[in-house]
Amino acid sequence: MPAIPLTTPPLAPQTRHTLLQLGIANTSALRRTGPAAAFLLLKAAGLTVTESTLWQLVLLAEGRTGHLNDGEKAQWRSRLRAHRPVAVFPPADDMAHWMRQALQQAGQAAAAGEVPVGAVVVRRGEIVGSGANACISGHSVCRHAEILALTEAGRKLGNYRLDGCDLYVTLEPCSMCAGAIMQSRIRRLVYAAAEPKSGAAGSVLDLFAHKALNPHTAVLGGILADESSRLLQRFFNERRQDKPAT
């Protein structure tokens, strides 16, 4: 299906303008994002939109004209209710900057003999909490980088609810950390490398999309993923080399 630029009409001028700002300039980008996600992103960007906008987005994504029938509308309403939280994320350069701070924490963990995972909590352009894996030195499975960063941020801000804060972590969180992130009401989670064995943000399961858990956190992965993966691979390669032969 060809990529057709989004135009006015059928979209309202402000709707089209906001979609362009979000990087959704044509029907191909709209299909990749998904009509429901695009609709929620418009709302997250502060635009007042009604269901009619969702119907327009569905028709554009599917290359159709005319109208949706009642059954189709009901299906899309259901998809909208079930959709994971979305947010407008910072520019790529900004996210890379904060992820590098998290990678510094991961490097500190590696130097201490810990699995190299680091995390930072950012609020209004300032790091308010940071953490590096410390399970071995702390003799506790709970001392994951994310937990330590959330704890430090809570102490600094005087509140365990971290509304308006973003968390940057070098590895997709596990289920324990995902639960803590949701409970802390982190606004946006940005992670670097996916964790195919225990990732709880989409790799093994997606707790952030589980409506029964009342999720509030929007998730984006893949920021400086290669740098994080190389750090992890180097750490585990060195560990295997240091292991005595049997």
Side-chain angles (χ1 to χ4, degrees):
M1 193 177 293
I4 301 172
L6 301 181
T7 60
T8 300
L11 297 172
Q14 190 59 44
T15 298
R16 177 180 176 273
H17 176 71
T18 305
L19 287 170
L20 293 178
Q21 289 183 319
L22 294 168
I24 305 172
N26 54 48
T27 53
S28 179
L30 178 59
R31 283 190 290 273
R32 286 196 303 270
T33 304
F39 179 78
L40 291 171
L41 282 170
L42 287 170
K43 296 180 71 173
L47 203 64
T48 301
V49 289
T50 63
E51 280 189 339
S52 62
T53 300
L54 176 59
W55 312 147
Q56 290 172 345
L57 294 172
V58 171
L59 291 171
L60 286 168
E62 295 181 353
R64 295 166 52 190
T65 58
H67 304 278
L68 300 183
N69 61 43
D70 290 342
E72 290 173 322
K73 290 180 179 180
Q75 289 179 352
W76 280 102
R77 289 189 185 104
S78 178
R79 293 185 192 183
L80 204 62
R81 289 193 297 270
H83 205 284
R84 66 189 298 178
V86 303
V88 179
F89 282 83
D93 288 347
D94 290 355
M95 290 190 289
H97 168 76
W98 297 120
M99 190 61 75
R100 289 190 183 96
Q101 312 309 306
L103 284 166
Q104 288 184 9
Q105 294 291 321
Q108 294 177 24
E114 304 275 356
V115 176
V117 178
V120 295
V121 177
V122 178
R123 180 174 181 266
R124 297 177 183 172
E126 176 189 2
I127 292 177
V128 294
S130 59
N133 264 8
C135 295
I136 297 172
S137 62
H139 309 294
S140 171
V141 71
C142 296
R143 292 181 66 80
H144 281 198
E146 301 96 309
I147 303 294
L148 298 178
L150 294 174
T151 301
E152 184 176 283
R155 287 173 178 163
K156 182 170 184 177
L157 299 176
N159 194 337
Y160 76 94
R161 289 281 179 87
L162 303 178
D163 296 294
C165 293
D166 298 336
L167 176 67
Y168 291 80
V169 59
T170 60
L171 186 65
E172 180 184 355
C174 67
S175 57
M176 175 183 71
C177 293
I181 292 165
M182 287 191 291
Q183 290 291 326
S184 68
R185 300 294 181 92
I186 284 288
R187 174 180 54 176
R188 298 178 295 204
L189 163 67
V190 182
Y191 69 85
E195 172 47 279
K197 294 182 179 179
S198 62
S203 289
V204 176
L205 69 161
D206 190 355
L207 291 181
F208 297 96
H210 201 305
K211 289 297 182 178
L213 299 177
N214 190 27
H216 295 270
T217 305
V219 180
L220 178 66
I223 304 300
L224 302 189
D226 290 344
E227 288 87 335
S228 177
S229 295
R230 284 195 294 268
L231 184 60
L232 287 160
Q233 290 169 0
R234 183 164 61 248
F235 174 81
F236 287 113
N237 285 339
E238 291 174 354
R239 291 288 294 271
R240 283 191 288 269
Q241 292 171 4
D242 293 340
K243 187 175 181 180
T246 57

Short mmCIF file of all heavy atoms in Angstrom, two decimals, residues 151-179:
data_model
loop_
_atom_site.label_atom_id
_atom_site.label_comp_id
_atom_site.label_asym_id
_atom_site.label_seq_id
_atom_site.Cartn_x
_atom_site.Cartn_y
_atom_site.Cartn_z
N THR A 151 14.16 5.00 44.50
CA THR A 151 14.26 5.28 45.93
C THR A 151 14.94 6.62 46.17
O THR A 151 14.48 7.43 46.99
CB THR A 151 15.02 4.15 46.63
OG1 THR A 151 14.34 2.92 46.43
CG2 THR A 151 15.15 4.43 48.13
N GLU A 152 16.04 6.85 45.47
CA GLU A 152 16.76 8.12 45.65
C GLU A 152 15.90 9.30 45.22
O GLU A 152 15.87 10.35 45.88
CB GLU A 152 18.07 8.10 44.86
CG GLU A 152 18.92 9.35 45.07
CD GLU A 152 20.25 9.26 44.36
OE1 GLU A 152 21.14 8.55 44.87
OE2 GLU A 152 20.40 9.90 43.30
N ALA A 153 15.19 9.14 44.11
CA ALA A 153 14.33 10.22 43.63
C ALA A 153 13.21 10.51 44.63
O ALA A 153 12.88 11.67 44.90
CB ALA A 153 13.74 9.86 42.27
N GLY A 154 12.62 9.46 45.20
CA GLY A 154 11.57 9.65 46.18
C GLY A 154 12.06 10.40 47.40
O GLY A 154 11.36 11.28 47.93
N ARG A 155 13.25 10.08 47.85
CA ARG A 155 13.81 10.77 49.01
C ARG A 155 14.09 12.23 48.70
O ARG A 155 13.83 13.11 49.52
CB ARG A 155 15.09 10.07 49.46
CG ARG A 155 14.85 8.72 50.14
CD ARG A 155 16.15 8.00 50.40
NE ARG A 155 15.91 6.72 51.09
CZ ARG A 155 16.80 5.74 51.17
NH1 ARG A 155 17.99 5.89 50.60
NH2 ARG A 155 16.51 4.63 51.81
N LYS A 156 14.62 12.50 47.51
CA LYS A 156 14.96 13.87 47.15
C LYS A 156 13.70 14.72 47.00
O LYS A 156 13.67 15.89 47.41
CB LYS A 156 15.76 13.90 45.85
CG LYS A 156 16.17 15.30 45.42
CD LYS A 156 17.17 15.29 44.28
CE LYS A 156 17.63 16.71 43.95
NZ LYS A 156 18.67 16.72 42.89
N LEU A 157 12.65 14.13 46.40
CA LEU A 157 11.43 14.88 46.15
C LEU A 157 10.45 14.83 47.31
O LEU A 157 9.43 15.53 47.31
CB LEU A 157 10.75 14.37 44.88
CG LEU A 157 11.58 14.51 43.59
CD1 LEU A 157 10.85 13.88 42.41
CD2 LEU A 157 11.92 15.96 43.30
N GLY A 158 10.72 13.97 48.28
CA GLY A 158 9.84 13.86 49.44
C GLY A 158 8.51 13.21 49.15
O GLY A 158 7.51 13.47 49.81
N ASN A 159 8.51 12.30 48.16
CA ASN A 159 7.27 11.64 47.79
C ASN A 159 7.60 10.39 46.99
O ASN A 159 8.39 10.44 46.04
CB ASN A 159 6.40 12.58 46.94
CG ASN A 159 4.97 12.10 46.80
OD1 ASN A 159 4.67 10.92 46.95
ND2 ASN A 159 4.07 13.02 46.51
N TYR A 160 6.99 9.27 47.37
CA TYR A 160 7.24 8.04 46.59
C TYR A 160 6.51 8.06 45.26
O TYR A 160 6.85 7.30 44.35
CB TYR A 160 6.82 6.81 47.40
CG TYR A 160 5.34 6.58 47.47
CD1 TYR A 160 4.70 5.73 46.57
CD2 TYR A 160 4.55 7.20 48.45
CE1 TYR A 160 3.34 5.50 46.63
CE2 TYR A 160 3.20 6.98 48.52
CZ TYR A 160 2.59 6.13 47.62
OH TYR A 160 1.24 5.91 47.69
N ARG A 161 5.51 8.95 45.11
CA ARG A 161 4.84 9.11 43.84
C ARG A 161 5.65 10.09 42.99
O ARG A 161 5.79 11.26 43.35
CB ARG A 161 3.42 9.66 44.03
CG ARG A 161 2.45 8.64 44.65
CD ARG A 161 1.98 7.67 43.56
NE ARG A 161 1.07 6.67 44.09
CZ ARG A 161 -0.24 6.83 44.19
NH1 ARG A 161 -0.79 7.97 43.81
NH2 ARG A 161 -1.00 5.87 44.65
N LEU A 162 6.19 9.60 41.90
CA LEU A 162 7.10 10.39 41.06
C LEU A 162 6.39 10.91 39.82
O LEU A 162 6.86 10.76 38.70
CB LEU A 162 8.32 9.55 40.69
CG LEU A 162 9.11 8.99 41.89
CD1 LEU A 162 10.27 8.13 41.41
CD2 LEU A 162 9.61 10.11 42.79
N ASP A 163 5.25 11.55 40.03
CA ASP A 163 4.50 12.13 38.92
C ASP A 163 5.35 13.14 38.17
O ASP A 163 6.05 13.96 38.78
CB ASP A 163 3.24 12.83 39.43
CG ASP A 163 2.27 11.85 40.08
OD1 ASP A 163 1.74 10.99 39.37
OD2 ASP A 163 2.07 11.95 41.31
N GLY A 164 5.29 13.10 36.85
CA GLY A 164 6.05 14.05 36.04
C GLY A 164 7.50 13.68 35.85
O GLY A 164 8.26 14.44 35.24
N CYS A 165 7.91 12.52 36.33
CA CYS A 165 9.30 12.07 36.19
C CYS A 165 9.43 11.02 35.10
O CYS A 165 8.49 10.25 34.83
CB CYS A 165 9.81 11.48 37.50
SG CYS A 165 9.97 12.66 38.86
N ASP A 166 10.60 10.98 34.48
CA ASP A 166 10.93 9.96 33.48
C ASP A 166 12.05 9.09 34.02
O ASP A 166 12.95 9.57 34.73
CB ASP A 166 11.39 10.61 32.18
CG ASP A 166 10.31 11.48 31.54
OD1 ASP A 166 9.12 11.24 31.81
OD2 ASP A 166 10.66 12.39 30.78
N LEU A 167 12.02 7.81 33.66
CA LEU A 167 13.08 6.88 34.06
C LEU A 167 13.80 6.39 32.82
O LEU A 167 13.16 5.89 31.88
CB LEU A 167 12.49 5.69 34.81
CG LEU A 167 13.48 4.59 35.21
CD1 LEU A 167 14.47 5.10 36.25
CD2 LEU A 167 12.76 3.36 35.74
N TYR A 168 15.12 6.52 32.83
CA TYR A 168 15.97 5.99 31.76
C TYR A 168 16.77 4.82 32.34
O TYR A 168 17.45 4.98 33.37
CB TYR A 168 16.93 7.07 31.24
CG TYR A 168 16.24 8.17 30.48
CD1 TYR A 168 15.58 9.20 31.14
CD2 TYR A 168 16.21 8.17 29.08
CE1 TYR A 168 14.92 10.20 30.45
CE2 TYR A 168 15.56 9.18 28.38
CZ TYR A 168 14.92 10.18 29.07
OH TYR A 168 14.27 11.18 28.37
N VAL A 169 16.69 3.67 31.71
CA VAL A 169 17.40 2.49 32.20
C VAL A 169 18.03 1.76 31.02
O VAL A 169 17.47 1.72 29.92
CB VAL A 169 16.44 1.57 33.00
CG1 VAL A 169 15.27 1.12 32.15
CG2 VAL A 169 17.16 0.38 33.58
N THR A 170 19.19 1.18 31.24
CA THR A 170 19.96 0.61 30.14
C THR A 170 19.49 -0.76 29.69
O THR A 170 19.93 -1.25 28.66
CB THR A 170 21.45 0.53 30.53
OG1 THR A 170 21.59 -0.31 31.69
CG2 THR A 170 22.00 1.92 30.84
N LEU A 171 18.60 -1.38 30.47
CA LEU A 171 18.08 -2.70 30.11
C LEU A 171 16.60 -2.75 30.44
O LEU A 171 16.17 -2.21 31.46
CB LEU A 171 18.83 -3.80 30.88
CG LEU A 171 18.50 -5.25 30.51
CD1 LEU A 171 18.94 -5.56 29.09
CD2 LEU A 171 19.18 -6.22 31.49
N GLU A 172 15.82 -3.36 29.57
CA GLU A 172 14.38 -3.50 29.79
C GLU A 172 14.11 -4.06 31.19
O GLU A 172 14.69 -5.06 31.59
CB GLU A 172 13.80 -4.44 28.74
CG GLU A 172 12.32 -4.67 28.85
CD GLU A 172 11.82 -5.69 27.83
OE1 GLU A 172 12.63 -6.14 26.99
OE2 GLU A 172 10.63 -6.05 27.88
N PRO A 173 13.26 -3.42 31.96
CA PRO A 173 13.03 -3.84 33.35
C PRO A 173 12.41 -5.24 33.46
O PRO A 173 11.65 -5.68 32.59
CB PRO A 173 12.05 -2.78 33.89
CG PRO A 173 12.26 -1.60 33.00
CD PRO A 173 12.57 -2.16 31.64
N CYS A 174 12.73 -5.89 34.57
CA CYS A 174 12.11 -7.16 34.91
C CYS A 174 10.74 -6.89 35.53
O CYS A 174 10.33 -5.75 35.72
CB CYS A 174 12.99 -7.93 35.89
SG CYS A 174 13.13 -7.13 37.51
N SER A 175 10.02 -7.94 35.89
CA SER A 175 8.68 -7.78 36.44
C SER A 175 8.70 -7.06 37.79
O SER A 175 7.80 -6.27 38.09
CB SER A 175 7.98 -9.13 36.57
OG SER A 175 8.75 -10.02 37.36
N MET A 176 9.72 -7.33 38.61
CA MET A 176 9.81 -6.63 39.90
C MET A 176 9.95 -5.13 39.69
O MET A 176 9.22 -4.34 40.31
CB MET A 176 11.02 -7.16 40.69
CG MET A 176 11.27 -6.41 42.00
SD MET A 176 12.75 -6.98 42.87
CE MET A 176 14.05 -6.35 41.81
N CYS A 177 10.85 -4.74 38.82
CA CYS A 177 11.09 -3.32 38.59
C CYS A 177 9.93 -2.67 37.84
O CYS A 177 9.59 -1.51 38.12
CB CYS A 177 12.40 -3.12 37.82
SG CYS A 177 13.85 -3.60 38.77
N ALA A 178 9.31 -3.40 36.92
CA ALA A 178 8.16 -2.85 36.22
C ALA A 178 7.05 -2.52 37.20
O ALA A 178 6.40 -1.47 37.09
CB ALA A 178 7.67 -3.84 35.16
N GLY A 179 6.83 -3.39 38.17
CA GLY A 179 5.82 -3.12 39.18
C GLY A 179 6.14 -1.87 39.98
O GLY A 179 5.26 -1.05 40.25
#
